[in-house]
Amino acid sequence: MKKVLGVLSLAFALIALAPATANAGYGTRIGLKLLEMINTVEDDGGTIACINADQLTSDENIRTYTRHLYSGNEYTAVAMGDSRIADTDLVVYRRSGGSWEEVTRDADASNTAECTFRCNRSGEYKFEVKAYRFEGSNTTGFYGFILSF
């Protein structure tokens, strides 16, 4: 059942990307990478909490997602760019009072970023995906994001 829901979520993400026909090949490749990650997580007994795919541009190079996470779980968040994104960064924040405090980050120079952390306090967490650098003269690219536990 989980795999069926994951595949349906991925299908909806791919449909959402379909209008960008000039980039459809890139969107499809990100979708296939996400499907491969879903299968790996579920084969290892994990659960998918969130899947997203979208386009980043040099003008709008950051996307954020907010989720309620539960104490005691170990979470893994992965953001990956297509071949046009040279460097993808990922930062995880936890709401603390009226502000956000950083929990962890992956800011190395690759197009895949991964953060694994244990949730010590239930509450709102924010995931920030950033296309830090594009490949060559590219100014746009697709990325995929997956959160699992």
Side-chain angles (χ1 to χ4, degrees), residues 115-142:
C115 293
T116 299
F117 63 98
R118 181 160 299 282
C119 181
N120 295 322
R121 188 173 72 217
S122 294
E124 272 191 286
Y125 286 73
K126 179 169 67 173
F127 302 86
E128 181 182 271
V129 179
K130 180 178 183 179
Y132 183 77
R133 185 171 53 87
F134 288 91
E135 196 67 56
S137 62
N138 289 300
T139 59
T140 186
F142 283 114

Side-chain angles (χ1 to χ4, degrees), residues 62-81:
I62 296 176
R63 293 287 186 275
T64 59
Y65 304 99
T66 305
R67 304 290 293 188
H68 185 90
L69 303 185
Y70 298 93
S71 179
N73 288 330
E74 182 174 273
Y75 291 89
T76 299
V78 178
M80 68 197 109

Side-chain angles (χ1 to χ4, degrees), residues 1 32 51 62 65-66 71 87-88 94 98 103 108 112-113 148:
M1 180 65 171
L32 293 173
I51 305 167
I62 296 176
Y65 304 99
T66 305
S71 179
D87 187 358
T88 303
R94 172 180 50 223
V103 174
D108 64 0
T112 300
S148 63

Side-chain angles (χ1 to χ4, degrees), residues 97-111:
S99 61
W100 294 99
E101 67 180 38
E102 185 176 315
V103 174
T104 186
R105 71 172 42 229
D106 181 335
D108 64 0
S110 73
N111 80 341

Side-chain angles (χ1 to χ4, degrees), residues 17 20 23 53-57 60 63 84 140-143:
L17 295 173
N23 299 319
D54 202 352
Q55 186 175 43
L56 294 170
T57 68
E60 294 182 20
R63 293 287 186 275
R84 298 169 297 172
T140 186
F142 283 114
Y143 75 94

